[in-house]
């Protein structure tokens, strides 16, 4: 009888070891799958972050280009304005002429006429 009990106990212990090994193998597989999933998600997030940073950098560069262009246009406008406007001063000349200075050149206007449309 003790041999039968020993055989039953040995069989139980063997089945228990197999079940334990199968459980450990399943856990190991699940852990590998979870690690693979985590690595994939981290890669996806890193790719999206890199794309976002690239887009942000592109937009910042475009803004800088537009600001530089606007600054140049403003400077050019100011130059044109100073050239076109010149400086006009009403002189109390005997002939009543208006003197206009444009880019350092003096002009005298004796007669004024309304601009035609």
């Amino acid at each position: 009888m003790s041999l039968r009990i020993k055989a039953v106990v040995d069989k139980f212990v063997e089945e228990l070891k197999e079940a334990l090994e199968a459980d450990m193998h399943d856990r190991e597989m699940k852990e590998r799958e979870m690690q693979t999933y985590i690595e994939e998600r981290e890669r996806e997030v890193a790719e999206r972050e890199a794309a976002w940073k690239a887009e942000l950098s592109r937009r910042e560069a475009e803004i800088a280009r537009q600001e530089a262009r606007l600054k140049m246009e403003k400077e050019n406008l100011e130059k044109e304005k100073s050239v076109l406007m010149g400086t006009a001063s009403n002189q109390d000349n005997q002939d009543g002429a208006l003197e206009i200075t444009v880019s350092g050149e003096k002009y005298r206007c004796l007669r004024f006429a309304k601009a035609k449309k």
Side-chain angles (χ1 to χ4, degrees):
M1 175 121 152
S2 75
L3 284 177
R4 239 193 293 171
I5 292 173
K6 185 175 182 329
V8 169
V9 169
D10 286 346
K11 185 177 178 184
F12 175 74
V13 169
E14 188 63 34
E15 289 174 355
L16 191 58
K17 282 182 183 178
E18 288 174 4
L20 184 59
E21 284 179 16
D23 185 50
M24 286 174 53
H25 180 72
D26 285 348
R27 285 184 185 198
E28 204 173 279
M29 292 299 288
K30 285 180 182 177
E31 188 175 317
R32 283 186 196 151
E33 288 174 5
M34 185 58 77
Q35 187 63 34
T36 301
Y37 173 77
I38 289 170
E39 289 170 358
E40 184 179 320
R41 291 290 293 140
E42 286 175 341
R43 187 174 54 252
E44 288 173 359
V45 168
E47 287 172 359
R48 281 198 309 252
E49 182 181 17
W52 179 81
K53 284 181 178 179
E55 178 66 15
L56 179 62
S57 177
R58 186 190 67 74
R59 287 183 180 185
E60 287 173 340
E62 179 62 26
I63 288 170
R65 278 193 299 273
Q66 288 179 1
E67 285 176 342
R69 189 177 72 229
L70 286 173
K71 183 180 177 186
M72 281 180 35
E73 287 180 14
K74 185 177 180 183
E75 289 171 357
N76 289 339
L77 177 63
E78 290 299 322
K79 287 176 187 175
E80 285 180 35
K81 210 163 86 174
S82 70
V83 167
L84 293 174
M85 295 296 287
T87 52
S89 58
N90 191 359
Q91 299 292 321
D92 284 331
N93 296 331
Q94 291 176 349
D95 58 3
L98 175 65
E99 271 189 15
I100 301 172
T101 305
V102 178
S103 300
E105 299 277 333
K106 286 191 178 185
Y107 298 93
R108 288 177 47 86
C109 193
L110 294 172
R111 206 172 130 189
F112 295 94
K114 193 171 188 179
K116 296 181 181 177
K117 290 186 182 182

